[in-house]
Amino acid sequence: MFLLSATATLRTIAVLLVLWWLLRMYLRRQSARAMQRPTGPQRPTGDVRIEKAPHRLDRDTGIIDAEYEEIK
């Protein structure tokens, strides 16, 4: 009886490991595809743009995203 329980436990662990491995492979491929696509306009080094924030009627949110570039 103990041997049957151990076999079922090992089989369950093996199935979970295979599922984890497949999920990990899938997520790595998705990550690699996302890295290949440019996310925005390509700008030359040193190009600075100031873009106007979209006007919102709701002033309570008040959150404006900004990107900062470190200048050395």
Side-chain angles (χ1 to χ4, degrees):
M1 189 58 102
F2 177 73
L3 186 59
L4 292 175
S5 177
T7 304
T9 301
L10 291 176
R11 184 178 16 181
T12 303
I13 290 171
V15 168
L16 290 174
L17 282 174
V18 168
L19 289 174
W20 175 74
W21 180 68
L22 290 172
L23 179 65
R24 190 171 151 218
M25 254 183 22
Y26 175 75
L27 291 176
R28 281 188 178 184
R29 283 188 184 174
Q30 292 296 329
S31 173
R33 286 182 186 167
M35 299 273 291
Q36 290 174 354
R37 284 186 241 145
T39 56
Q42 298 297 320
R43 293 186 264 174
T45 305
D47 183 24
V48 177
R49 294 181 188 179
I50 300 174
E51 299 172 357
K52 200 170 191 179
H55 179 65
R56 295 185 185 180
L57 296 176
D58 185 16
R59 296 274 182 190
D60 291 335
T61 57
I63 299 173
I64 298 174
D65 292 335
E67 295 181 15
Y68 296 96
E69 219 174 281
E70 185 176 338
I71 301 173
K72 293 183 179 183

